[in-house]
Amino acid sequence: EKLATHTIEHTKNYTYLGLKISSTANFNLAVNDLKEKARRAFYDIKQSIQFDIPIRTWLKIFQSVIPIAIYGSKVWGPLMYKGFEKWDKHPVETLHAEFCKSTKVYP
């Protein structure tokens, strides 16, 4: 399509302020992308630590990483997974479980 003399492209998704926005208004792509960014940040930090640290320190690290995963959740949170029967399958919750397993918070 054209607007005046400029050609306008149709895209399936667009990143705006770090949040992937889909043309279908589905936030799965955005949430999974944020989860992967948070995962990479956590494992980069974990890999750089070469000694045992207390669980309280791991929890502080996780608290510093989780804002990456929930970025924009005031927008996408209410629109995703409206039922509570599958809450443990949400990408942010699976990241939390992965964190707990990797730091030995629970067996």
Side-chain angles (χ1 to χ4, degrees):
E1 294 187 39
K2 287 195 173 253
L3 178 65
T5 59
H6 300 287
T7 302
I8 300 173
E9 293 182 42
H10 175 74
T11 61
K12 294 187 179 189
N13 59 59
Y14 181 77
T15 302
Y16 180 71
L17 296 175
L19 188 66
K20 286 196 177 191
I21 300 170
S22 165
S23 63
T24 61
N26 185 329
F27 287 99
N28 289 336
L29 181 64
V31 173
N32 288 323
D33 181 55
L34 292 169
K35 174 187 171 184
E36 289 305 314
K37 287 178 182 179
R39 174 188 279 134
R40 281 194 306 271
F42 173 71
Y43 283 109
D44 284 348
I45 292 168
K46 187 175 180 185
Q47 187 177 26
S48 68
I49 298 172
Q50 301 297 322
F51 50 90
D52 289 335
I53 61 175
I55 193 64
R56 285 185 178 269
T57 306
W58 279 121
L59 292 173
K60 286 182 181 182
I61 291 170
F62 184 69
Q63 288 174 343
S64 68
V65 170
I66 197 65
I68 298 169
I70 62 171
Y71 177 75
S73 62
K74 289 182 180 180
V75 174
W76 56 258
L79 301 175
M80 294 190 65
Y81 301 105
K82 295 181 183 182
F84 289 109
E85 62 275 353
K86 296 182 181 179
W87 67 270
D88 58 331
K89 303 293 184 215
H90 190 278
V92 175
E93 186 56 35
T94 59
L95 177 66
H96 180 233
E98 183 180 334
F99 163 77
C100 291
K101 288 176 185 176
S102 73
T103 56
K104 310 286 189 278
V105 172
Y106 70 89

